[in-house]
Amino acid sequence: MKKIKVVIIGAGFAGIALAKGLANKDSFEVVILDKKNHHLFHPLLYQVASASLSPGDISMPIREILSHAKNIKVHMQEVVSIDKDLKVIECKSGDEYQYDYLAVATGSKPFYFGNDDWEKSAPGLKTLTDALSIRDRVLYSFEKEEIKLNQEEKKLNIVIIGGGPTGVELAGAFAEVAYKTLVNEYHDFDPKLTKIYLIEGGQHILSSYSHPTSEKAKNYLEKLGVIVLTDEVVEEIGDDYIKTKSQKIESKNIIWAAGNRATKLISKLGVEQDRMGRAIVEKDLSLKDFPEIFILGDAANFQSLDGSPLPSLAPVAAQQGKHLAKQLLKNKRFAFKYLDKGSMATVGKYKAVLEWKGVKLAGPIAWLAWSLVHIFFLINFRNKVMVFMQWAWSLLSNKRRIRIIK
Ligand SMILES: Cc1cc2nc3c(=O)[nH]c(=O)nc-3n(C[C@H](O)[C@H](O)[C@H](O)COP(=O)(O)OP(=O)(O)OC[C@H]3O[C@@H](n4cnc5c(N)ncnc54)[C@H](O)[C@@H]3O)c2cc1C
């Protein structure tokens, strides 16, 4: 019997969930293409950037995750174009793949709202390479302050642009590094002099949360020593400064956490997109007029019941991947329904905020829930154990082991 060819582009949360759903289903011949060789657990990426965890703690080779699946091939390829009419995918290498069904799950990348030149001074946090380069840059800045001869010139600012969960978590983590971990380790620079800014263009940080939760997070950050500036739209970014409408802040450590956009591949598809570049999908996650092409996760705009698109979250992507696997296995179309698992963000050590179906929690209990959920959803047992041990050690000692500058 002729096998059904499924090509999955992207081995993130959506792609992996779909591949797992089709694993060892003999009527399907599956190829998963990714430009990287590993699956990455983004929710803990800020901990690699802030020297708590190692890259291997939050990533795993795609090949290993799917090693049990005899009908799935893993190819490290970057896809550059899709011919929807001929049902052919073209890769950067020149290789081509044909499909009966195609799932595009290529995620998103930092978006600079038309100011692409800001990227070199204010890189985003999306990949392990980004996290390691942020870690290097920040740690190196402390070293440079230590050896400056002129006391007057000793000044270290870390600026995080964007008060969403990533910005909040990064700001809290860097406050812990500067004001707790590094204290007493330098002779000629006091890390407590470091200023950590979190800059948000809107009225509140964590704007997708309720107002009281957002205020709680702001209070926690301020108690940690973070300077939270809201209603401050960034107007200019240079090599070592940022300018908002009211002030200029000098910094060689500027991190962009203010927005993401679907990857370029989606624009190249020539289908309807929203302002974040996401493809508008039908209720079964397929593209209008192309029922054999499905867009999943951060790359898709799936309208929820109230008309707003589902948020770009790992559970949305994973549930969509699972849903598509079910449709393909049953050879039937049915509408995707998102099961809301709530939102949570940490704010430094022992503090987090959490909202789930009207329940609002903040403080150590929310932090405990955050920790358990993240350990649970890490990709495999080894990573769970490693992360648990690293956390236990750094919580007890206030130290961060991964303070290596490359
Ligand atoms: C720093 C950070 C923190 C986050 N924290 C949270 C959190 O706490 N909770 C939460 O729910 N969500 C969080 N998210 C969001 C969550 O990670 C995303 O919603 C989720 O990863 C989307 O899954 P995906 O499968 O659509 O894409 P991704 O997981 O991004 O995977 C996309 C894959 O496609 C590959 N790819 C891209 N382009 C190509 C191409 N042209 N050819 C081949 N391969 C390609 C990439 O290499 C990647 O492996 C966070 C995101 C970031 C960046």
Side-chain angles (χ1 to χ4, degrees):
M1 197 179 70
K2 191 173 169 283
K3 298 203 175 190
I4 301 164
K5 278 190 194 160
V6 179
V7 175
I8 305 170
I9 312 176
F13 287 93
I16 289 290
L18 169 59
K20 282 183 170 173
L22 297 178
N24 296 321
K25 304 295 177 198
D26 288 340
S27 46
F28 291 91
E29 187 181 289
V30 183
V31 182
I32 186 161
L33 308 172
D34 201 297
K35 58 184 177 182
K36 296 188 276 98
N37 80 331
H38 57 272
H39 167 80
L40 178 61
F41 191 77
H42 291 106
L44 293 180
L45 197 53
Y46 80 96
Q47 297 211 358
V48 174
S50 55
S52 265
L53 295 175
S54 296
D57 297 335
I58 62 160
S59 58
M60 194 177 174
I62 300 161
R63 196 168 291 293
E64 192 180 330
I65 299 171
L66 298 171
S67 58
H68 66 293
K70 300 295 167 234
N71 63 332
I72 302 182
K73 288 183 181 163
V74 178
H75 288 185
M76 192 173 160
Q77 295 265 29
E78 179 170 350
V79 176
V80 289
S81 69
I82 297 164
D83 187 323
K84 305 194 293 291
D85 299 315
L86 293 178
K87 299 188 186 173
V88 174
I89 288 160
E90 197 198 332
C91 299
K92 202 174 173 185
S93 61
D95 293 342
E96 292 185 342
Y97 294 80
Q98 280 224 295
Y99 59 83
D100 297 315
Y101 291 108
L102 171 66
V104 185
T106 46
S108 56
K109 60 197 277 298
F111 180 50
Y112 292 84
F113 304 96
N115 301 292
D116 291 350
D117 54 317
W118 289 359
E119 186 175 3
K120 67 175 176 11
S121 317
L125 178 64
K126 191 71 198 173
T127 63
L128 283 173
T129 312
D130 297 336
L132 292 174
S133 112
I134 290 171
R135 184 187 78 183
D136 275 10
R137 218 152 33 101
V138 171
L139 292 177
Y140 186 48
S141 300
F142 284 96
E143 299 305 322
K144 282 202 288 196
E145 294 307 312
E146 170 79 348
I147 54 181
K148 271 185 192 163
L149 295 175
N150 187 344
Q151 282 297 328
E152 304 291 302
E153 285 176 8
K154 289 183 192 275
K155 178 165 84 175
L156 175 49
N157 293 335
I158 299 173
V159 178
I160 297 147
I161 304 168
T166 300
V168 166
E169 293 187 328
L170 271 173
F174 281 127
E176 297 278 352
V177 170
Y179 308 140
K180 293 187 181 150
T181 309
L182 299 184
V183 171
N184 300 328
E185 289 199 8
Y186 291 82
H187 284 269
D188 294 314
F189 175 62
D190 180 0
K192 282 192 175 157
L193 295 177
T194 307
K195 284 189 180 161
I196 298 163
Y197 293 88
L198 179 64
I199 300 187
E200 165 58 40
Q203 303 273 321
H204 310 286
I205 59 166
L206 295 182
S207 60
S208 59
Y209 290 63
S210 66
H211 183 55
T213 302
S214 150
E215 281 301 300
K216 273 247 162 66
K218 185 168 180 252
N219 287 343
Y220 288 154
L221 283 173
E222 286 174 343
K223 273 197 187 134
L224 277 171
V226 176
I227 302 162
V228 182
L229 304 175
T230 51
D231 205 8
E232 285 278 6
V233 176
V234 172
E235 293 177 343
E236 196 180 318
I237 301 181
D239 270 354
D240 51 7
Y241 70 90
I242 69 141
K243 261 190 201 166
T244 68
K245 63 177 185 237
S246 67
Q247 55 188 305
K248 178 178 178 182
I249 303 168
E250 285 175 19
S251 175
K252 284 229 176 255
N253 291 290
I254 308 168
I255 303 161
W256 183 262
N260 287 310
R261 188 182 161 84
T263 55
K264 271 208 187 100
L265 193 61
I266 300 297
S267 316
K268 287 190 188 168
L269 266 174
V271 296
E272 195 188 348
Q273 290 172 272
D274 65 10
R275 63 184 183 85
M276 286 163 73
R278 297 175 294 194
I280 312 287
V281 294
E282 303 286 297
K283 293 291 164 220
D284 63 353
L285 306 171
S286 70
L287 282 179
K288 190 168 174 238
D289 300 330
F290 294 92
E292 69 286 358
I293 302 180
F294 300 85
I295 315 289
L296 310 174
D298 282 10
N301 173 320
F302 180 92
Q303 295 216 332
S304 56
L305 291 176
D306 67 4
S308 59
L310 288 179
S312 298
L313 290 173
V316 174
Q319 288 178 34
Q320 290 184 337
K322 261 191 197 164
H323 181 82
L324 178 53
K326 270 190 207 150
Q327 293 192 107
L328 295 180
L329 290 173
K330 293 191 173 162
N331 193 19
K332 219 168 129 188
R333 301 299 172 101
F334 36 97
F336 172 70
K337 278 201 195 95
Y338 173 54
L339 178 64
D340 183 3
K341 301 220 168 143
S343 313
M344 45 179 91
T346 46
V347 199
K349 205 160 95 171
Y350 301 129
K351 298 261 168 46
V353 290
L354 177 163
E355 288 191 354
W356 178 67
K357 293 188 194 288
V359 176
K360 297 183 184 70
L361 272 181
I365 294 179
W367 178 82
L368 192 64
W370 176 92
S371 309
L372 293 174
V373 165
H374 283 76
I375 291 271
F376 181 79
F377 282 106
L378 267 166
I379 193 82
N380 71 354
F381 185 69
R382 189 201 82 92
N383 296 56
K384 291 179 209 280
V385 172
M386 293 305 290
V387 169
F388 179 77
M389 281 166 47
Q390 297 279 10
W391 281 354
W393 187 79
S394 76
L395 286 171
L396 294 172
S397 66
N398 249 338
K399 301 244 181 268
R400 282 160 196 258
R401 201 173 55 86
I402 331 288
R403 281 165 42 203
I404 314 295
I405 300 174
K406 280 189 275 126

